[in-house]
Amino acid sequence: MSRFNRQQSTPTINYGLLLPIFLMLVLSIWLQYWVATYEEVSAVNQAIKQVIFVVIGVGGMVMIKFIDKKIIWKLVPWIYVFSLLLMASLYLFYDVTMYNITGTKRWIDIAGIKFQPSELAKIAYILFISKELIKYEMNTKIKTLSTDLNLLWKLLLYSVPLFALMFMQKDFGTSLVFICVLGALLIAAGIDWRILGTIGAILAVIGCILIFLVFTENGNNILKSLHFKQYQLDRIRAWRDPYAFADSIAYQQVQGFIAMGSGGLFGKGSTGIDIYVPVRESDMIFTFIGEAYGFVGASLVIILYFYLFFQIFYTGLKSNSKFNIYICVGVVFMLVFQTFENIGAAIGLLPLTGIPLPFLSQGGTSLIATMIALGLVFEMNVYD
């Protein structure tokens, strides 16, 4: 298949990509163990649970690595449809416990196995959009504003079922991940700058309108009619002036600031934590890193993330396949957005959205899905 041209050379093991993944997985087990020591759960059990997730994730990554990309190419439409059906099945097999806690149907529960279909949908969406971009380039001899617009409408049409399901599940944070992935892939495909500029302007206006509505009573009523929850609106207000709501809606965020600030340059160590931060094992895991290991430790973790992102990009470029490049762009920006949003929320740059920090936050579905996505990258042959 011409779209998967490979040079006649011997592929090498991608140690450059393997190293940051290995370090992230070890760090995830380490952090979950120590965070659990400050919660009312067994630290050993939590570490074992994380090890199980790591083993399943690595197994998924290895399995995907040995599936030829030609087979994946043929299965892409079916994978996307399956992911949509899986998300739709939430209305029959949703996790009742999580629904009672959050009021949303985001977790599926089948025979005691619980996971978030949206995490797997991210991978399916990356593959689907990447394939559509390749088909567009193969069938379009001369790209014009008109052909690019036709492509955009086609992609938006295909995306409607996904975003409709996300809207019905009230998962605004994850919807932003899909938007980021789509935008990154459109830029990578070289879509006409006038289209990209118009989309950017529209999104900026919508964002400003949403923020304005948050701070008016009538605006709140409008947002609630659009399925926004009260806690989501509170997060925006808490982000604007957290210390004004330090004892109420901004308690989690302010505690996170105090914890990270108290870590200083080198931190207090894993056994020196003395600031309570709600949901520290998941949404606020970065505050534990800042308190325990200080500015230096937190900076090293961020550097490790950037090294991982670079290796994914580099793998795509060296693989000699446009399809692979698009997949790498999608995977990188999926991880970049989640990392930027989670850490940005922890340090006050962005409002809280509940998006997990890749690898490190508690949550088996997120970790396993991330490893499967990286399996797609590992499958790419990199040549000397």
Side-chain angles (χ1 to χ4, degrees):
M1 192 178 297
S2 60
R3 64 180 67 88
F4 302 115
N5 289 335
R6 289 182 171 88
Q7 299 173 11
Q8 299 300 315
S9 301
T10 302
T12 60
I13 297 177
N14 196 341
Y15 292 108
L17 180 59
L18 187 62
L19 175 61
I21 294 175
F22 172 76
L23 293 176
M24 282 293 187
L25 293 177
V26 171
L27 184 59
S28 73
I29 298 170
W30 173 269
L31 289 175
Q32 288 302 322
Y33 172 83
W34 281 108
V35 169
T37 61
Y38 297 94
E39 308 295 333
E40 296 180 356
V41 295
S42 169
V44 173
N45 288 345
Q46 183 58 38
I48 292 174
K49 185 178 179 180
Q50 193 70 10
V51 169
I52 293 173
F53 290 146
V54 167
V55 171
I56 295 174
V58 171
M61 183 181 74
V62 172
M63 181 180 68
I64 295 298
K65 172 179 171 52
F66 288 102
I67 299 177
D68 192 278
K69 196 60 63 63
K70 296 178 183 178
I71 297 176
I72 294 176
W73 171 272
K74 293 178 181 179
L75 293 176
V76 165
W78 300 105
I79 294 172
Y80 184 57
V81 171
F82 175 74
S83 71
L84 295 177
L85 293 175
L86 201 58
M87 291 182 67
S89 69
L90 278 167
Y91 296 93
L92 296 175
F93 305 105
Y94 64 90
D95 186 345
V96 177
T97 302
M98 293 304 297
Y99 176 74
N100 292 333
I101 295 174
T102 65
T104 59
K105 299 176 181 179
R106 301 177 188 172
W107 291 264
I108 201 168
D109 186 352
I110 301 178
I113 300 176
K114 303 177 182 182
F115 60 94
Q116 276 188 280
S118 60
E119 293 293 336
L120 300 177
K122 294 174 187 176
I123 303 171
Y125 191 66
I126 290 171
L127 288 171
F128 185 79
I129 298 300
S130 297
K131 179 171 181 176
E132 289 302 313
L133 291 175
I134 293 295
K135 288 167 59 178
Y136 169 69
E137 293 174 359
M138 293 175 62
N139 298 327
T140 307
K141 295 181 179 180
I142 301 177
K143 295 171 64 175
T144 65
L145 177 63
S146 177
T147 60
D148 283 356
L149 279 173
N150 289 335
L151 169 68
L152 179 61
W153 287 119
K154 183 179 180 181
L155 295 181
L156 291 177
L157 181 62
Y158 285 139
S159 301
V160 166
L162 174 66
F163 284 102
L165 287 168
M166 295 303 301
F167 177 78
M168 294 169 66
Q169 293 168 20
K170 308 170 188 177
D171 196 348
F172 180 69
T174 304
S175 298
L176 293 177
V177 178
F178 288 109
I179 293 173
C180 177
V181 167
L182 177 59
L185 287 172
L186 289 176
I187 293 172
I191 298 299
D192 192 288
W193 66 269
R194 288 168 290 184
I195 297 176
L196 296 176
T198 302
I199 294 174
I202 292 173
L203 292 177
V205 170
I206 292 174
C208 291
I209 292 174
L210 289 176
I211 292 175
F212 173 77
L213 292 176
V214 169
F215 298 103
T216 63
E217 184 177 350
N218 290 333
N220 275 217
N221 294 331
I222 294 173
L223 292 175
K224 288 177 181 178
S225 69
L226 295 174
H227 287 202
F228 282 87
K229 305 291 287 185
Q230 184 61 49
Y231 75 87
Q232 293 174 317
L233 306 181
D234 289 341
R235 284 173 173 176
I236 302 295
R237 284 193 286 268
W239 167 64
R240 185 184 67 166
D241 190 3
Y243 288 98
F245 304 97
D247 296 325
S248 56
I249 59 176
Y251 177 75
Q252 181 186 33
Q253 201 160 19
V254 171
Q255 288 297 106
F257 296 161
I258 297 173
M260 294 194 67
S262 68
L265 188 61
F266 297 106
K268 305 172 182 175
S270 300
T271 59
I273 303 301
D274 55 11
I275 307 296
Y276 172 68
V277 180
V279 202
R280 181 164 39 198
E281 73 284 354
S282 182
D283 299 352
M284 304 298 282
I285 190 71
F286 195 73
T287 65
F288 180 88
I289 296 171
E291 185 178 2
Y293 311 114
F295 175 80
V296 172
S299 297
L300 289 175
V301 170
I302 292 175
I303 291 172
L304 183 57
Y305 272 112
F306 275 102
Y307 181 66
L308 172 64
F309 302 152
F310 167 77
Q311 286 297 334
I312 297 173
F313 264 132
Y314 185 72
T315 298
L317 292 174
K318 294 286 286 184
S319 70
N320 195 34
S321 164
K322 198 66 174 291
F323 186 46
N324 286 344
I325 292 175
Y326 287 150
I327 290 175
C328 287
V329 169
V331 171
V332 163
F333 278 89
M334 176 186 75
L335 297 177
V336 165
F337 183 86
Q338 294 178 184
T339 302
F340 181 72
E341 166 54 38
N342 185 282
I343 295 178
I347 63 178
L349 288 178
L350 298 169
L352 293 171
T353 60
I355 291 178
L357 186 61
F359 290 99
L360 306 185
S361 288
Q362 185 185 80
T365 308
S366 175
L367 177 59
I368 294 169
T370 298
M371 294 299 290
I372 291 174
L374 291 171
L376 292 171
V377 181
F378 259 111
E379 188 275 339
M380 302 172 188
N381 288 332
V382 178
Y383 301 94
D384 294 326

